[in-house]
Amino acid sequence: MVITMPRGTQDILPEESKKWQYIENKLREISNNFCYEEIRTPMFESTELFSRGVGDTTDIVQKEMYTFLDKGNRSITLRPEGTAGTVRSYIENKLFAKTIQPQKLYYVGPMFRYERKQKGRYRQFVQYGVEVIGDESPKIDAEVISLAYNIYKMFGIENIKVSINSLGNPEERQAYNEALIKHFEPRIHEFDEDCNNRLYKNPMRILDCKVDADHELVKTAPKLLEYLGEESKQYFAEVLKHLDNLGVKYEVDHNLVRGLDYYTHTAFEIMIDNPNVELKTLCGGGRYNGLIKLLEGPEDKKGIGFALSIERLLLALESENIELPIEETIDVFIVSMGEKAGTYGVKLTNDLRLAGFKVQNDYFDKKMKTQMKIADRYNAKFSIIVGESELETAEVIIKNMENFEQENIKQENIISYLEMKLRGEQ
């Protein structure tokens, strides 16, 4: 029987992998400009971290986690999201004691959820996410949302908008949950099984229902903003004011609650306005002021963050017909003729690579015409031609593959010549 990859996973082959490398490098560059530092946490954690941190009423914990017992009979889960592990690390490593606060962190890595496979949604997928943990401010919320928003802009995706809402503090959420129970309870039998199960455990999640999103009770449900106190309303107004100042386009969505239990106050999603994209939500995040305390961290420390799927970013780029500026070239191809020249070519290839050039050569002693064709396939900027006569004069022929001009260069001058031509170094 032929062994195939597990359902819900994908092989990222070299041609596609170049796009991933470009995107990940660009995300790291943007993160650095915004003064975020990378954090790397384990791909598996104690199951309790997610059941407590993400929330045992969420679809992730109830249906989607890859959980198993290790050889020590401990319950372990492959991470389904990045925030809980980052907060765990923040607490365990006492990052709250660092001089610079808040801690501005980002991560890039695989996550795992057992969910129905569809375009842009996999059981192993890659997230880029940021977390700002420590102090709380509307300015921080606006910065985080602006970062997420501008990432897509920097990749050339213009047809996006931010959907935003305030979930209030725990007391306000409790009052709102009670109002939702009253609203839905008489006709909850008209909703699917998941919504029935959520009515008393987490009624806000009914507003996030995909099956019954068009039900009239969802459309006429009480608005969370009506249950916010003056302090929460003022905080939300300040966030919106800063977003206006930063030029971030947004709309307030009263039914936006997000899928994880740890959110408080600001919650947001970034949507793409393109009919060719099946999954409209590109990115989501929000403030989680109670999560640090819930995981036994300092009570006064607050957090906010977001995560985006690189798979969905790639789909968005495809749907907008945006080509990434990936350079499909090498610097030099070594063309060697004869056994001694071939031996010299192997050494020269290695020396040039160690000097920082992207170099390839022919391994199979093909004819010169064939080797030049291979150099063209690699889209080489220069070829270096060496034969027995060049070895005798301690020279090589360096040919510009674009204009076909060529020069004889002494062997000891090869690196300096290439540095001048490729890097502009004298």
Side-chain angles (χ1 to χ4, degrees):
M1 183 181 73
V2 176
I3 299 174
T4 60
M5 63 184 176
R7 181 175 173 81
T9 63
Q10 60 177 329
D11 292 322
I12 301 172
L13 302 179
E15 186 174 346
E16 193 70 13
S17 183
K18 292 173 184 176
K19 298 178 183 178
W20 283 74
Q21 291 173 20
Y22 178 86
I23 287 172
E24 290 170 1
N25 290 337
K26 186 70 174 176
L27 289 171
R28 286 188 165 90
E29 177 187 322
I30 295 169
S31 300
N32 185 59
N33 291 343
F34 277 73
C35 297
Y36 286 74
E37 297 181 301
E38 185 177 13
I39 186 170
R40 303 190 185 198
T41 61
M43 277 191 279
F44 59 88
E45 301 264 10
S46 166
T47 301
E48 185 184 7
L49 173 66
F50 301 113
S51 60
R52 287 173 60 187
V54 177
D56 57 13
T57 65
T58 61
D59 285 347
I60 290 176
V61 172
Q62 289 188 343
K63 303 176 183 179
E64 298 173 358
M65 294 202 311
Y66 282 90
T67 299
F68 57 94
L69 293 177
D70 68 6
K71 292 183 178 181
N73 209 35
R74 293 170 289 251
S75 183
I76 298 296
T77 295
L78 298 179
R79 62 185 183 194
E81 56 89 52
T83 299
T86 301
V87 171
R88 189 270 310 148
S89 180
Y90 173 85
I91 296 168
E92 185 172 347
N93 293 288
K94 295 182 173 58
L95 297 185
F96 50 81
K98 295 283 186 181
T99 304
I100 296 177
Q101 293 293 327
Q103 287 284 290
K104 298 170 62 175
L105 309 168
Y106 79 91
Y107 56 84
V108 182
M111 308 292 164
F112 306 85
R113 296 184 193 176
Y114 189 88
E115 54 184 350
R116 183 172 61 88
K117 182 186 180 301
Q118 63 186 103
K119 193 172 183 180
R121 177 174 285 164
Y122 296 90
R123 292 175 178 176
Q124 176 180 317
F125 56 98
V126 177
Q127 277 189 347
Y128 161 83
V130 309
E131 314 292 346
V132 181
I133 311 175
D135 302 324
E136 177 185 23
S137 166
K139 294 178 183 177
I140 294 174
D141 294 27
E143 177 187 295
V144 168
I145 297 170
S146 174
L147 170 56
Y149 180 79
N150 281 296
I151 280 172
Y152 294 100
K153 293 283 188 177
M154 290 178 189
F155 279 105
I157 302 171
E158 297 290 339
N159 300 319
I160 57 172
K161 65 178 180 181
V162 175
S163 293
I164 190 169
N165 196 16
S166 174
L167 306 183
N169 62 38
E171 293 76 21
E172 292 158 353
R173 285 182 62 165
Q174 181 59 36
Y176 181 58
N177 281 334
E178 291 171 3
L180 288 177
I181 291 172
K182 281 185 181 180
H183 178 76
F184 287 112
E185 195 171 36
R187 296 171 60 185
I188 193 63
H189 60 278
E190 299 175 16
F191 289 79
D192 73 341
E193 182 181 355
D194 283 342
C195 288
N196 274 264
N197 293 334
R198 291 167 178 164
L199 178 63
Y200 299 109
K201 293 179 180 178
N202 192 350
M204 287 175 61
R205 293 294 316 289
I206 300 175
L207 301 175
D208 197 35
C209 178
K210 302 298 184 288
V211 177
D212 297 306
D214 294 326
H215 195 288
E216 63 173 298
L217 287 185
V218 172
K219 296 179 179 179
T220 60
K223 308 303 182 189
L224 205 160
L225 286 174
E226 298 169 2
Y227 289 81
L228 299 184
E230 285 306 313
E231 188 175 336
S232 293
K233 287 180 180 177
Q234 180 61 32
Y235 189 94
F236 190 49
E238 286 286 315
V239 173
L240 299 183
K241 181 188 77 173
H242 288 300
L243 291 179
D244 289 332
N245 187 45
L246 294 171
V248 175
K249 296 179 182 177
Y250 64 85
E251 64 178 30
V252 176
D253 181 354
H254 297 291
N255 284 352
L256 175 63
V257 297
R258 298 292 297 146
L260 308 180
D261 283 358
Y262 50 56
Y263 287 117
T264 57
H265 291 292
T266 309
F268 70 95
E269 292 179 344
I270 294 182
M271 319 291 289
I272 185 167
D273 184 17
N274 188 316
N276 297 321
V277 179
E278 185 176 349
L279 296 170
K280 303 295 185 185
T281 304
L282 297 179
C283 166
R287 180 158 286 286
Y288 46 85
N289 287 351
L291 181 59
I292 294 92
K293 179 184 176 183
L294 182 67
L295 296 179
E296 312 298 334
E299 186 175 347
D300 63 330
K301 298 303 178 186
K302 320 292 185 183
I304 185 172
F306 71 83
L308 63 85
S309 159
I310 293 184
E311 288 86 351
R312 294 193 192 187
L313 173 54
L314 282 163
L315 282 177
L317 291 168
E318 181 183 334
S319 71
E320 299 288 294
N321 297 313
I322 296 171
E323 292 288 334
L324 297 175
I326 297 171
E327 190 178 54
E328 300 281 357
T329 66
I330 64 172
D331 293 323
V332 179
F333 189 89
I334 308 293
V335 177
S336 55
M337 295 164 290
E339 184 179 346
K340 289 183 179 179
T343 300
Y344 172 77
V346 170
K347 176 69 164 56
L348 178 59
T349 297
N350 187 64
D351 289 345
L352 292 179
R353 287 170 176 169
L354 295 178
F357 297 103
K358 189 174 182 180
V359 187
Q360 186 54 285
N361 68 356
D362 171 49
Y363 298 109
F364 305 107
D365 302 322
K366 295 183 176 69
K367 293 180 179 179
M368 179 179 176
K369 187 176 180 180
T370 303
Q371 291 187 56
M372 294 301 291
K373 287 182 179 178
I374 297 172
D376 280 333
R377 291 191 200 114
Y378 274 106
N379 200 17
K381 297 171 184 174
F382 289 89
S383 61
I384 294 181
I385 303 166
V386 58
E388 300 297 329
S389 60
E390 284 76 29
L391 288 180
E392 289 177 4
T393 59
E395 294 180 335
V396 297
I397 299 170
I398 300 185
K399 183 176 183 178
N400 186 315
M401 298 297 286
E402 184 177 351
N403 59 25
F404 304 112
E405 294 179 356
Q406 61 185 47
E407 298 181 59
N408 285 55
I409 303 297
K410 289 292 184 181
Q411 292 178 6
E412 65 265 25
N413 296 330
I414 293 173
I415 289 177
S416 60
Y417 178 87
L418 291 174
E419 285 176 341
M420 178 183 67
K421 292 293 186 180
L422 291 169
R423 301 172 182 168
E425 298 177 10
Q426 298 297 325

